[in-house]
Amino acid sequence: MNELTPPSTHDLLKDLDVLVFSSVKSKEFDHFSTYKEKKIEVCFQLSNLYRLLTAESYQSFSKDKENFDKLSQKEKQKQLKEWSKKAKPFCKKADAKFKGRFRSSLVFYRDILIHSKKYYKIEDFNAIIDFIVQEKLLVPTIDPLPKIDMNEVDSYALQAFEQGPLNFKK
């Protein structure tokens, strides 16, 4: 059996569709603040983590993401609905178990009280995976389990910050 090499942190962050948020650290607002003067948050969705953990391999997960990006908008909505239906029971169960343990979640509402999206900070990624395995919330099919190198997250965020959300492709 040949040993699969784990993905780089940059590839993992890109394929997980993480969001990079920035805010100014000081109270004085300046549009021309440099990267160092801004507070940067990188967040991921639990449903994307579910798809990763239940993939046969990282390569198949990445290929699914690549194929998804090529779909038309209507086909993307259909695929997202299907993925969401599969991930929803796990996400509800995991969110309930995470309460009090991982407080670094952010919730964004698309419409009033109907659709919300919960994001977890990337700092908790490795701990969340460990917790999922320990608590047997899910038996991951992917091997080896993905790990994020926190030292590389800043360079990914800097790249995303400098290139902007519409141009960020590797």
Side-chain angles (χ1 to χ4, degrees):
M1 188 169 140
N2 57 352
E3 188 68 26
L4 292 174
T5 57
S8 73
T9 295
H10 280 246
D11 288 341
L12 195 53
L13 293 172
K14 179 182 62 110
D15 288 338
L16 278 172
D17 281 334
V18 297
L19 294 180
V20 179
F21 301 102
S22 68
S23 59
V24 180
K25 286 181 182 177
S26 69
K27 290 183 180 180
E28 293 176 23
F29 188 72
D30 179 7
H31 289 288
F32 302 104
S33 295
T34 65
Y35 171 76
K36 296 283 184 202
E37 295 169 334
K38 294 187 180 229
K39 180 179 179 192
I40 305 296
E41 294 287 344
V42 180
C43 302
F44 69 97
Q45 278 186 283
L46 205 50
S47 58
N48 291 340
L49 177 61
Y50 170 82
R51 287 190 310 105
L52 173 63
L53 293 177
T54 57
E56 289 178 29
S57 66
Y58 175 74
Q59 289 72 18
S60 67
F61 173 75
S62 184
K63 190 70 173 165
D64 284 349
K65 169 71 171 81
E66 195 176 297
N67 292 337
F68 175 77
D69 289 342
K70 294 176 185 173
L71 296 175
S72 69
Q73 191 61 33
K74 189 174 184 176
E75 291 170 324
K76 281 183 181 181
Q77 287 175 334
K78 185 179 176 185
Q79 183 65 52
L80 281 173
K81 204 175 221 179
E82 185 180 314
W83 284 344
S84 178
K85 193 184 265 187
K86 288 180 182 177
K88 197 171 195 170
F90 164 76
C91 292
K92 277 187 166 186
K93 185 177 172 183
D95 279 334
K97 288 275 190 173
F98 290 170
K99 282 192 178 164
R101 191 157 182 76
F102 301 104
R103 296 171 190 237
S104 67
S105 63
L106 304 167
V107 179
F108 295 96
Y109 293 96
R110 262 188 20 215
D111 3 25
I112 300 173
L113 302 174
I114 299 172
H115 294 94
S116 66
K117 290 194 177 209
K118 188 178 241 181
Y119 292 88
Y120 288 90
K121 292 183 183 175
I122 205 69
E123 294 90 37
D124 290 334
F125 184 85
N126 296 333
I128 286 174
I129 289 179
D130 292 342
F131 183 79
I132 288 170
V133 171
Q134 284 175 346
E135 295 292 317
K136 296 180 175 98
L137 298 176
L138 176 70
V139 177
T141 56
I142 193 169
D143 191 37
L145 286 175
K147 294 288 181 196
I148 297 282
D149 180 355
M150 295 313 293
N151 296 324
E152 292 183 33
V153 171
D154 281 344
S155 67
Y156 180 88
L158 176 60
Q159 185 179 2
F161 182 74
E162 287 176 344
Q163 292 181 357
L166 299 175
N167 302 322
F168 188 62
K169 288 193 170 64
K170 191 171 182 181

